[in-house]
Amino acid sequence: MSHLIAPSILSANFGNLDKDIELINMSDADWIHLDIMDGVFVPNISFGFPIIKAIKKLTKKPLDVHLMIVDPDRFTLAFKDIGADILTVHLEACSHLHRNIQNIKNLGMKAGVAINPHTSIDSLKDIIADIDLVCLMSVNPGFGGQKFIENTFEKIKNLKLLIEQKKSAALIEIDGGVDLKNYKKLIQVGANVLVAGNTVFNSENPHKTIKLLKA
Ligand code: DX5
Ligand code: ZN
């Protein structure tokens, strides 16, 4: 399978969202990555349902929703109703992760688990066979445009081994600090999905940047 590109809307121009969504629609991007922050799990607040609803109306690309909120199961149904295709929750934010994952899957969405840079790959071993995606945070969540954490390469290799061992079908998504310098190596070591915010939306030609990341 060739790798997927998921531009993160967090770095888009919210004053002219139609334009940036249209840009993604016309590009080689596979998914649209939506970062939902609650100001509790992470020290920032992003956007909520009215914006997601507007985005859903403007695009047919799958919505890859990354929840950086405490106790995310409170909103599983609401995200299904609004049109999320992939719903990712943080391992660190769930007391009952297994139940949360089952609820997401029972509603017909793909289920993802995100882990922070300090969280070990080992902590995924009893859930990896049940999920569709692991979102490896390669920055501390909360903000776009941060510096990539190099230890991520090692984590991708370990995660790949775990996925093989457990015969899991989970995709490996890398989120944070992905740029035109590190993307090739990320794919080489085993990444399947690259999220990119700053690299896409703050480039001179976002369309071309997505094409480069996809190539
Ligand atoms: C960070 C978010 C990321 C962010 C990535 O908390 O989860 O998705 O938008 O942004 P860049 O690509 O700018 O690091
Ligand atoms: Zn994200």
Side-chain angles (χ1 to χ4, degrees), residues 1-198:
M1 184 195 99
S2 99
H3 67 279
L4 307 178
I5 302 298
S8 166
I9 283 302
L10 195 61
S11 295
N13 178 2
F14 282 77
N16 199 349
L17 206 48
D18 301 32
K19 185 170 159 268
D20 282 349
I21 300 295
E22 189 51 22
L23 186 155
I24 295 178
N25 286 345
M26 302 305 288
S27 78
D28 291 341
D30 299 278
W31 298 347
I32 299 187
H33 186 83
L34 305 184
D35 289 303
I36 312 302
M37 305 177 184
D38 66 355
V40 179
F41 181 67
V42 287
N44 198 7
I45 296 175
S46 57
F47 53 87
F49 294 116
I51 300 276
I52 303 169
K53 207 170 175 176
I55 294 173
K56 186 71 189 177
K57 264 199 197 144
L58 294 168
T59 187
K60 290 200 169 58
K61 303 254 183 195
L63 298 188
D64 173 32
V65 179
H66 175 193
L67 298 183
M68 284 159 275
I69 66 177
V70 294
D71 202 4
D73 208 21
R74 292 171 294 157
F75 295 103
T76 305
L77 183 57
F79 279 100
K80 170 65 187 175
D81 287 345
I82 210 151
D85 296 279
I86 303 117
L87 192 61
T88 296
V89 298
H90 265 265
L91 179 141
E92 303 87 356
C94 299
S95 324
H96 299 282
L97 183 63
H98 187 273
R99 179 189 294 144
N100 201 162
I101 293 301
Q102 299 311 319
N103 289 343
I104 294 171
K105 294 206 303 191
N106 288 341
L107 286 169
M109 294 178 283
K110 300 275 186 209
V113 172
I115 60 169
N116 281 335
H118 74 274
T119 301
S120 162
I121 294 298
D122 292 346
S123 56
L124 292 166
K125 76 179 169 42
D126 293 310
I127 197 75
I128 193 75
D130 297 301
I131 60 182
D132 301 294
L133 176 138
V134 175
C135 176
L136 281 187
M137 291 309 301
S138 37
V139 298
N140 284 295
F143 304 91
Q146 301 182 82
K147 192 177 175 299
F148 180 83
I149 297 172
E150 295 289 324
N151 184 47
T152 309
F153 290 117
E154 197 60 33
K155 287 179 87 171
I156 298 174
K157 289 181 197 160
N158 292 335
L159 176 55
K160 220 179 150 204
L161 286 176
L162 180 68
I163 286 173
E164 281 164 13
Q165 243 172 44
K166 298 279 187 179
K167 298 187 177 24
S168 162
L171 298 178
I172 302 176
E173 177 176 69
I174 307 303
D175 189 5
V178 172
D179 61 25
L180 292 171
K181 289 197 285 283
N182 59 24
Y183 80 102
K184 280 190 190 148
K185 191 171 168 195
L186 288 167
I187 301 300
Q188 265 166 23
V189 295
N192 306 113
V193 187
L194 300 180
V195 174
N198 182 51

